[in-house]
Amino acid sequence: ATMDIDYIVFGSKNFVENYKSDLEIAEEKVEKIELIKAPTKNSYYVGENIDLSGLELKATYNDGTSEILTSVGVDYKFEDASDNSVVTLKYGKATATYSVKVIGLEKIEIETMPEKTSYKVSDITDGFVPTGLTAKATFADGSTKILSLAELTIITDFVGSGTQNVTVNYHGAKTYFTIELINIQSITVEPLSTPIYFGTKLTSDDLKITVVYSDGSTDSFADSKLDKNYITATYEPKYGETDITVTYASPSLAEPLEYKTTGTYAKPVSLEVSSIGVKTEYEVDDTFDTTGLQLSLVYENGKKVNIKVEDLTKEPVYDFSSAGDTTVTFNFEELSASLNVNVKAVEIVTRSSTNRSGSSDGAPIGLIVGIVAAVLVIGGVVVFVVLKKKKQ
Protein backbone atom coordinates (compact mmCIF):
# COMPACT_ATOMS: atom_id res chain seq x y z
CA ALA A 1 0.00 0.00 0.00
CA THR A 2 1.11 3.58 -0.60
CA MET A 3 0.07 6.83 0.99
CA ASP A 4 0.48 10.41 -0.19
CA ILE A 5 1.42 12.88 2.56
CA ASP A 6 0.35 16.43 1.74
CA TYR A 7 2.30 18.08 4.53
CA ILE A 8 3.62 17.65 8.08
CA VAL A 9 3.04 20.47 10.57
CA PHE A 10 5.24 21.22 13.61
CA GLY A 11 4.21 23.73 16.26
CA SER A 12 2.02 24.29 19.28
CA LYS A 13 -1.15 22.23 19.72
CA ASN A 14 -3.32 25.23 18.82
CA PHE A 15 -1.23 26.05 15.75
CA VAL A 16 -1.24 22.48 14.46
CA GLU A 17 -4.98 21.95 15.02
CA ASN A 18 -5.87 25.17 13.21
CA TYR A 19 -3.27 25.00 10.45
CA LYS A 20 -4.53 24.99 6.85
CA SER A 21 -2.39 24.35 3.81
CA ASP A 22 -2.64 26.41 0.64
CA LEU A 23 -4.55 23.50 -0.91
CA GLU A 24 -7.13 23.43 1.89
CA ILE A 25 -7.59 27.21 1.67
CA ALA A 26 -8.05 26.96 -2.10
CA GLU A 27 -10.55 24.07 -1.76
CA GLU A 28 -12.65 26.12 0.68
CA LYS A 29 -12.84 28.98 -1.83
CA VAL A 30 -13.66 26.94 -4.96
CA GLU A 31 -17.06 27.53 -6.56
CA LYS A 32 -16.92 24.99 -9.37
CA ILE A 33 -14.61 22.88 -11.53
CA GLU A 34 -15.00 22.29 -15.26
CA LEU A 35 -13.44 19.56 -17.39
CA ILE A 36 -11.29 21.22 -20.05
CA LYS A 37 -9.48 18.10 -21.22
CA ALA A 38 -10.21 14.51 -20.20
CA PRO A 39 -7.32 12.18 -19.32
CA THR A 40 -5.66 10.49 -22.30
CA LYS A 41 -6.56 6.96 -21.17
CA ASN A 42 -10.25 6.26 -21.68
CA SER A 43 -10.41 2.46 -21.72
CA TYR A 44 -9.66 0.13 -18.81
CA TYR A 45 -9.80 -3.51 -17.84
CA VAL A 46 -11.69 -4.72 -14.78
CA GLY A 47 -9.48 -4.25 -11.72
CA GLU A 48 -7.17 -1.73 -13.36
CA ASN A 49 -6.16 1.50 -11.60
CA ILE A 50 -7.06 4.86 -13.08
CA ASP A 51 -4.55 7.04 -14.93
CA LEU A 52 -5.20 10.79 -14.91
CA SER A 53 -2.36 11.73 -17.25
CA GLY A 54 -3.44 14.53 -19.62
CA LEU A 55 -6.21 15.81 -17.32
CA GLU A 56 -6.99 19.54 -17.34
CA LEU A 57 -9.61 21.07 -15.06
CA LYS A 58 -10.61 24.70 -14.64
CA ALA A 59 -11.28 25.72 -11.05
CA THR A 60 -13.26 28.92 -10.40
CA TYR A 61 -13.04 30.55 -6.95
CA ASN A 62 -15.48 32.74 -5.05
CA ASP A 63 -13.29 35.81 -5.58
CA GLY A 64 -13.69 35.48 -9.37
CA THR A 65 -10.22 34.03 -10.01
CA SER A 66 -9.59 30.71 -11.74
CA GLU A 67 -6.75 28.30 -12.48
CA ILE A 68 -6.03 25.11 -14.40
CA LEU A 69 -5.66 21.94 -12.30
CA THR A 70 -3.97 18.72 -13.32
CA SER A 71 -4.28 16.79 -10.05
CA VAL A 72 -7.45 16.32 -7.99
CA GLY A 73 -9.26 13.73 -5.94
CA VAL A 74 -10.93 10.90 -7.88
CA ASP A 75 -13.67 8.35 -7.22
CA TYR A 76 -14.22 5.35 -9.52
CA LYS A 77 -15.07 1.66 -9.52
CA PHE A 78 -13.79 -0.58 -12.32
CA GLU A 79 -15.35 -3.83 -11.07
CA ASP A 80 -17.77 -4.61 -13.92
CA ALA A 81 -17.80 -4.30 -17.69
CA SER A 82 -19.32 -1.02 -18.87
CA ASP A 83 -19.29 1.28 -21.89
CA ASN A 84 -19.94 4.28 -19.65
CA SER A 85 -18.30 3.83 -16.26
CA VAL A 86 -18.47 7.18 -14.43
CA VAL A 87 -15.33 8.74 -12.98
CA THR A 88 -15.91 11.54 -10.45
CA LEU A 89 -13.29 14.26 -10.01
CA LYS A 90 -13.34 16.13 -6.69
CA TYR A 91 -11.77 19.41 -5.61
CA GLY A 92 -13.10 20.77 -2.33
CA LYS A 93 -16.91 20.57 -2.53
CA ALA A 94 -16.91 20.89 -6.31
CA THR A 95 -17.15 17.86 -8.61
CA ALA A 96 -16.97 17.05 -12.31
CA THR A 97 -17.45 13.74 -14.11
CA TYR A 98 -16.49 11.94 -17.30
CA SER A 99 -17.00 8.38 -18.58
CA VAL A 100 -14.66 5.60 -19.67
CA LYS A 101 -15.04 2.11 -21.05
CA VAL A 102 -14.34 -0.89 -18.80
CA ILE A 103 -13.57 -4.18 -20.56
CA GLY A 104 -15.02 -7.20 -18.76
CA LEU A 105 -13.13 -10.09 -17.18
CA GLU A 106 -13.86 -13.53 -18.64
CA LYS A 107 -11.86 -15.88 -16.41
CA ILE A 108 -8.69 -16.44 -14.41
CA GLU A 109 -6.48 -19.51 -14.40
CA ILE A 110 -3.53 -20.64 -12.29
CA GLU A 111 -0.38 -19.67 -14.19
CA THR A 112 2.26 -20.91 -11.74
CA MET A 113 1.69 -23.02 -8.64
CA PRO A 114 3.09 -21.96 -5.25
CA GLU A 115 6.62 -22.98 -4.33
CA LYS A 116 5.12 -25.32 -1.73
CA THR A 117 2.03 -27.49 -2.06
CA SER A 118 2.33 -29.20 1.32
CA TYR A 119 2.01 -27.21 4.53
CA LYS A 120 2.15 -28.07 8.21
CA VAL A 121 -0.63 -26.35 10.14
CA SER A 122 1.99 -24.77 12.40
CA ASP A 123 3.46 -23.05 9.30
CA ILE A 124 0.23 -21.18 8.54
CA THR A 125 -0.90 -20.07 12.00
CA ASP A 126 -0.09 -16.47 11.05
CA GLY A 127 -1.91 -16.78 7.72
CA PHE A 128 -1.67 -18.82 4.55
CA VAL A 129 0.68 -17.22 1.97
CA PRO A 130 1.20 -19.32 -1.20
CA THR A 131 4.49 -17.70 -2.20
CA GLY A 132 5.18 -17.96 -5.93
CA LEU A 133 1.53 -18.21 -7.01
CA THR A 134 0.51 -16.30 -10.16
CA ALA A 135 -2.69 -16.36 -12.21
CA LYS A 136 -3.61 -15.41 -15.78
CA ALA A 137 -6.62 -13.17 -16.37
CA THR A 138 -8.43 -13.34 -19.71
CA PHE A 139 -10.58 -10.35 -20.68
CA ALA A 140 -13.57 -9.99 -23.01
CA ASP A 141 -11.45 -8.61 -25.85
CA GLY A 142 -9.18 -11.66 -25.72
CA SER A 143 -6.28 -9.90 -24.06
CA THR A 144 -4.58 -11.47 -21.03
CA LYS A 145 -2.67 -10.30 -17.99
CA ILE A 146 -0.43 -12.18 -15.54
CA LEU A 147 -1.51 -11.40 -11.99
CA SER A 148 0.89 -11.47 -9.06
CA LEU A 149 0.01 -12.85 -5.63
CA ALA A 150 -0.38 -9.28 -4.32
CA GLU A 151 -3.22 -8.67 -6.82
CA LEU A 152 -5.13 -11.81 -5.85
CA THR A 153 -7.46 -12.56 -2.97
CA ILE A 154 -6.79 -15.96 -1.35
CA ILE A 155 -9.72 -17.67 0.39
CA THR A 156 -9.22 -20.74 2.59
CA ASP A 157 -11.36 -22.87 4.88
CA PHE A 158 -8.98 -25.52 6.17
CA VAL A 159 -10.54 -28.28 8.29
CA GLY A 160 -8.80 -31.48 9.29
CA SER A 161 -5.83 -32.79 7.32
CA GLY A 162 -5.13 -33.99 3.79
CA THR A 163 -6.18 -32.35 0.52
CA GLN A 164 -7.56 -28.82 0.93
CA ASN A 165 -9.03 -26.44 -1.67
CA VAL A 166 -7.68 -22.89 -1.94
CA THR A 167 -9.87 -20.37 -3.79
CA VAL A 168 -8.26 -17.57 -5.82
CA ASN A 169 -10.40 -14.49 -6.50
CA TYR A 170 -9.74 -11.57 -8.83
CA HIS A 171 -12.61 -9.05 -8.95
CA GLY A 172 -15.26 -11.76 -8.95
CA ALA A 173 -13.55 -14.26 -11.25
CA LYS A 174 -12.44 -17.36 -9.32
CA THR A 175 -10.31 -20.44 -9.71
CA TYR A 176 -8.74 -22.82 -7.22
CA PHE A 177 -5.83 -25.13 -6.52
CA THR A 178 -5.19 -27.78 -3.87
CA ILE A 179 -2.59 -28.29 -1.17
CA GLU A 180 -1.86 -31.03 1.34
CA LEU A 181 -2.39 -29.90 4.92
CA ILE A 182 -0.48 -31.68 7.66
CA ASN A 183 -2.70 -31.03 10.66
CA ILE A 184 -2.67 -32.18 14.27
CA GLN A 185 -3.88 -35.74 14.67
CA SER A 186 -3.49 -36.14 18.43
CA ILE A 187 -1.83 -34.73 21.54
CA THR A 188 -0.08 -36.38 24.48
CA VAL A 189 0.55 -34.79 27.88
CA GLU A 190 3.05 -35.88 30.53
CA PRO A 191 1.93 -36.19 34.17
CA LEU A 192 2.20 -32.84 35.95
CA SER A 193 5.51 -32.59 37.81
CA THR A 194 4.49 -29.73 40.12
CA PRO A 195 1.67 -29.73 42.70
CA ILE A 196 -1.71 -28.22 41.95
CA TYR A 197 -2.69 -25.72 44.64
CA PHE A 198 -6.12 -24.41 45.55
CA GLY A 199 -7.47 -22.07 42.84
CA THR A 200 -4.80 -23.01 40.26
CA LYS A 201 -5.90 -22.56 36.65
CA LEU A 202 -3.77 -24.79 34.45
CA THR A 203 -2.57 -23.42 31.10
CA SER A 204 -0.40 -24.77 28.29
CA ASP A 205 2.60 -23.19 30.08
CA ASP A 206 2.05 -25.56 33.03
CA LEU A 207 1.77 -28.67 30.87
CA LYS A 208 4.29 -30.61 28.80
CA ILE A 209 2.26 -31.23 25.64
CA THR A 210 3.46 -33.09 22.55
CA VAL A 211 1.69 -32.48 19.25
CA VAL A 212 1.41 -35.43 16.84
CA TYR A 213 0.78 -34.56 13.17
CA SER A 214 -0.98 -36.54 10.48
CA ASP A 215 2.36 -37.40 8.83
CA GLY A 216 3.67 -38.91 12.07
CA SER A 217 5.99 -36.01 12.94
CA THR A 218 5.86 -34.39 16.39
CA ASP A 219 6.48 -31.04 18.03
CA SER A 220 6.37 -29.73 21.54
CA PHE A 221 3.41 -27.42 21.91
CA ALA A 222 5.80 -24.57 22.70
CA ASP A 223 7.60 -25.09 19.35
CA SER A 224 4.47 -25.73 17.30
CA LYS A 225 3.49 -22.03 17.04
CA LEU A 226 -0.10 -23.11 17.72
CA ASP A 227 -2.50 -20.83 19.56
CA LYS A 228 -2.39 -21.65 23.27
CA ASN A 229 -5.85 -20.12 23.71
CA TYR A 230 -7.24 -23.32 22.16
CA ILE A 231 -5.83 -25.38 25.06
CA THR A 232 -7.97 -25.98 28.16
CA ALA A 233 -7.13 -28.14 31.18
CA THR A 234 -9.57 -29.23 33.88
CA TYR A 235 -9.06 -31.34 37.00
CA GLU A 236 -11.01 -32.64 39.96
CA PRO A 237 -9.97 -30.91 43.23
CA LYS A 238 -9.36 -34.23 44.98
CA TYR A 239 -6.40 -34.39 47.36
CA GLY A 240 -3.58 -36.61 46.20
CA GLU A 241 -3.43 -37.94 42.63
CA THR A 242 -6.12 -36.45 40.44
CA ASP A 243 -7.08 -36.74 36.76
CA ILE A 244 -6.35 -33.84 34.41
CA THR A 245 -8.21 -33.57 31.10
CA VAL A 246 -6.39 -31.54 28.44
CA THR A 247 -8.35 -30.43 25.35
CA TYR A 248 -7.15 -28.79 22.13
CA ALA A 249 -10.12 -27.28 20.25
CA SER A 250 -8.86 -25.46 17.15
CA PRO A 251 -11.35 -24.35 14.45
CA SER A 252 -9.11 -26.14 11.93
CA LEU A 253 -10.06 -29.51 13.46
CA ALA A 254 -13.21 -31.45 12.68
CA GLU A 255 -13.54 -32.18 16.41
CA PRO A 256 -11.53 -31.33 19.55
CA LEU A 257 -8.60 -33.49 20.62
CA GLU A 258 -8.50 -34.73 24.22
CA TYR A 259 -5.91 -36.41 26.42
CA LYS A 260 -6.09 -37.51 30.06
CA THR A 261 -3.09 -37.29 32.35
CA THR A 262 -2.55 -37.01 36.10
CA GLY A 263 -1.30 -34.55 38.67
CA THR A 264 -1.14 -34.12 42.45
CA TYR A 265 -3.69 -31.87 44.11
CA ALA A 266 -1.89 -30.58 47.22
CA LYS A 267 -3.59 -30.56 50.61
CA PRO A 268 -3.03 -27.49 52.83
CA VAL A 269 -1.75 -28.10 56.36
CA SER A 270 -2.96 -24.90 57.99
CA LEU A 271 -5.01 -21.75 57.55
CA GLU A 272 -3.57 -18.35 58.40
CA VAL A 273 -5.27 -15.01 59.00
CA SER A 274 -3.48 -11.67 59.20
CA SER A 275 -4.55 -8.86 61.52
CA ILE A 276 -2.79 -6.21 59.42
CA GLY A 277 -5.26 -3.74 57.98
CA VAL A 278 -8.27 -5.45 59.59
CA LYS A 279 -10.65 -3.86 62.07
CA THR A 280 -10.09 -5.43 65.52
CA GLU A 281 -12.01 -2.97 67.78
CA TYR A 282 -15.81 -3.42 68.00
CA GLU A 283 -18.74 -2.55 70.26
CA VAL A 284 -21.37 -4.91 71.63
CA ASP A 285 -23.64 -6.35 68.90
CA ASP A 286 -21.49 -5.02 66.03
CA THR A 287 -21.11 -7.06 62.84
CA PHE A 288 -17.67 -8.35 61.87
CA ASP A 289 -16.09 -6.28 59.10
CA THR A 290 -14.19 -8.38 56.48
CA THR A 291 -12.65 -5.33 54.78
CA GLY A 292 -8.91 -5.88 54.33
CA LEU A 293 -9.09 -9.45 55.62
CA GLN A 294 -6.16 -11.60 54.44
CA LEU A 295 -6.56 -15.37 54.53
CA SER A 296 -3.96 -17.88 53.32
CA LEU A 297 -3.77 -21.64 52.91
CA VAL A 298 -0.33 -22.91 53.96
CA TYR A 299 1.16 -26.05 52.41
CA GLU A 300 3.75 -28.51 53.68
CA ASN A 301 6.49 -26.98 51.50
CA GLY A 302 5.80 -23.53 52.95
CA LYS A 303 3.90 -22.21 49.95
CA LYS A 304 1.03 -19.87 50.78
CA VAL A 305 -2.05 -19.35 48.61
CA ASN A 306 -4.33 -16.41 49.32
CA ILE A 307 -8.05 -17.20 49.43
CA LYS A 308 -11.19 -15.10 49.67
CA VAL A 309 -13.83 -15.09 52.39
CA GLU A 310 -16.17 -16.73 49.87
CA ASP A 311 -13.77 -19.69 49.63
CA LEU A 312 -14.23 -20.57 53.31
CA THR A 313 -16.27 -23.64 54.17
CA LYS A 314 -18.62 -21.55 56.29
CA GLU A 315 -19.15 -17.97 57.40
CA PRO A 316 -16.78 -16.48 60.03
CA VAL A 317 -17.89 -17.49 63.55
CA TYR A 318 -17.97 -14.87 66.33
CA ASP A 319 -20.01 -13.60 69.31
CA PHE A 320 -20.05 -9.86 69.95
CA SER A 321 -22.94 -9.97 72.46
CA SER A 322 -20.81 -8.97 75.45
CA ALA A 323 -17.78 -6.82 76.10
CA GLY A 324 -14.25 -8.19 76.37
CA ASP A 325 -11.55 -9.91 74.37
CA THR A 326 -12.89 -12.53 71.96
CA THR A 327 -12.01 -14.25 68.69
CA VAL A 328 -13.39 -14.54 65.17
CA THR A 329 -12.91 -18.07 63.80
CA PHE A 330 -12.46 -18.95 60.11
CA ASN A 331 -12.89 -22.46 58.72
CA PHE A 332 -11.62 -24.09 55.52
CA GLU A 333 -12.67 -27.73 55.53
CA GLU A 334 -11.09 -29.15 58.73
CA LEU A 335 -8.64 -26.25 59.07
CA SER A 336 -9.33 -23.20 61.23
CA ALA A 337 -7.71 -19.91 62.18
CA SER A 338 -8.66 -17.21 64.67
CA LEU A 339 -8.42 -13.44 64.80
CA ASN A 340 -8.26 -11.71 68.19
CA VAL A 341 -10.56 -8.72 68.58
CA ASN A 342 -11.77 -6.52 71.42
CA VAL A 343 -15.44 -5.77 72.06
CA LYS A 344 -16.18 -2.63 74.08
CA ALA A 345 -19.21 -1.97 76.21
CA VAL A 346 -21.86 0.38 74.86
CA GLU A 347 -21.08 3.94 75.91
CA ILE A 348 -23.94 5.67 77.78
CA VAL A 349 -24.38 9.37 77.15
CA THR A 350 -25.11 11.38 80.36
CA ARG A 351 -25.75 15.05 80.99
CA SER A 352 -23.94 17.09 83.66
CA SER A 353 -25.28 20.35 85.09
CA THR A 354 -24.54 22.92 87.79
CA ASN A 355 -26.86 23.66 90.71
CA ARG A 356 -29.69 25.83 89.42
CA SER A 357 -33.04 27.07 90.65
CA GLY A 358 -34.42 23.62 89.85
CA SER A 359 -33.22 22.46 93.35
CA SER A 360 -34.73 24.21 96.35
CA ASP A 361 -32.20 22.93 98.88
CA GLY A 362 -29.03 22.89 96.87
CA ALA A 363 -29.28 19.17 95.92
CA PRO A 364 -28.05 18.22 92.41
CA ILE A 365 -30.70 18.12 89.67
CA GLY A 366 -29.71 14.49 88.92
CA LEU A 367 -30.68 13.50 92.48
CA ILE A 368 -34.01 15.27 92.20
CA VAL A 369 -34.70 13.52 88.87
CA GLY A 370 -33.96 10.19 90.55
CA ILE A 371 -36.33 10.91 93.44
CA VAL A 372 -39.08 12.00 91.04
CA ALA A 373 -38.59 8.82 88.99
CA ALA A 374 -38.89 6.70 92.11
CA VAL A 375 -42.07 8.45 93.16
CA LEU A 376 -43.54 7.92 89.69
CA VAL A 377 -42.73 4.21 89.77
CA ILE A 378 -44.37 3.88 93.19
CA GLY A 379 -47.36 5.70 91.79
CA GLY A 380 -47.69 3.12 88.99
CA VAL A 381 -46.07 5.19 86.24
CA VAL A 382 -43.34 3.37 84.27
CA VAL A 383 -40.31 5.45 83.42
CA PHE A 384 -38.14 4.32 80.44
CA VAL A 385 -34.48 5.24 80.60
CA VAL A 386 -33.11 5.56 77.04
CA LEU A 387 -29.44 4.78 76.61
CA LYS A 388 -27.83 6.30 73.60
CA LYS A 389 -25.37 3.95 71.89
CA LYS A 390 -22.29 5.60 70.57
CA LYS A 391 -22.28 5.49 66.80
CA GLN A 392 -19.26 4.00 64.95
Side-chain angles (χ1 to χ4, degrees), residues 1-64:
T2 61
M3 178 176 67
D4 293 329
I5 299 177
D6 294 325
Y7 53 84
I8 299 175
V9 182
F10 294 92
S12 68
K13 183 174 184 292
N14 181 66
F15 177 80
V16 171
E17 289 179 346
N18 293 284
Y19 180 85
K20 290 182 180 178
S21 66
D22 293 340
L23 174 61
E24 288 174 301
I25 295 171
E27 286 181 339
E28 290 179 353
K29 293 167 55 180
V30 70
E31 289 283 347
K32 63 179 180 177
I33 56 173
E34 302 168 87
L35 186 63
I36 304 300
K37 185 178 178 181
T40 305
K41 187 174 176 63
N42 58 15
S43 179
Y44 293 87
Y45 292 104
V46 165
E48 198 172 2
N49 292 323
I50 199 164
D51 183 353
L52 296 182
S53 300
L55 172 69
E56 287 187 16
L57 278 173
K58 180 182 179 182
T60 302
Y61 299 100
N62 55 17
D63 60 1

Side-chain angles (χ1 to χ4, degrees), residues 105-113 133-139 143-148 152 168-170 173-177:
L105 178 62
E106 292 290 317
K107 63 178 180 178
I108 62 169
E109 305 167 278
I110 300 300
E111 179 71 9
T112 57
M113 285 290 287
L133 177 71
T134 64
K136 182 173 73 172
T138 302
F139 297 93
S143 61
T144 61
K145 178 186 177 183
I146 302 301
L147 306 170
S148 68
L152 302 170
V168 182
N169 185 323
Y170 181 72
K174 297 178 181 179
T175 188
Y176 76 95
F177 65 95

Side-chain angles (χ1 to χ4, degrees), residues 266-271 297-303 334-336:
K267 185 176 183 178
V269 295
S270 64
L271 175 67
L297 294 177
V298 183
Y299 292 85
E300 192 172 4
N301 61 1
K303 181 176 177 63
E334 72 273 18
L335 303 176
S336 65

Side-chain angles (χ1 to χ4, degrees), residues 8 27 38 61 67 116 242 250 283 291 366 384 386:
I8 299 175
E27 286 181 339
Y61 299 100
E67 67 173 322
K116 292 171 55 178
T242 186
S250 167
E283 290 185 348
T291 303
F384 290 90
V386 180

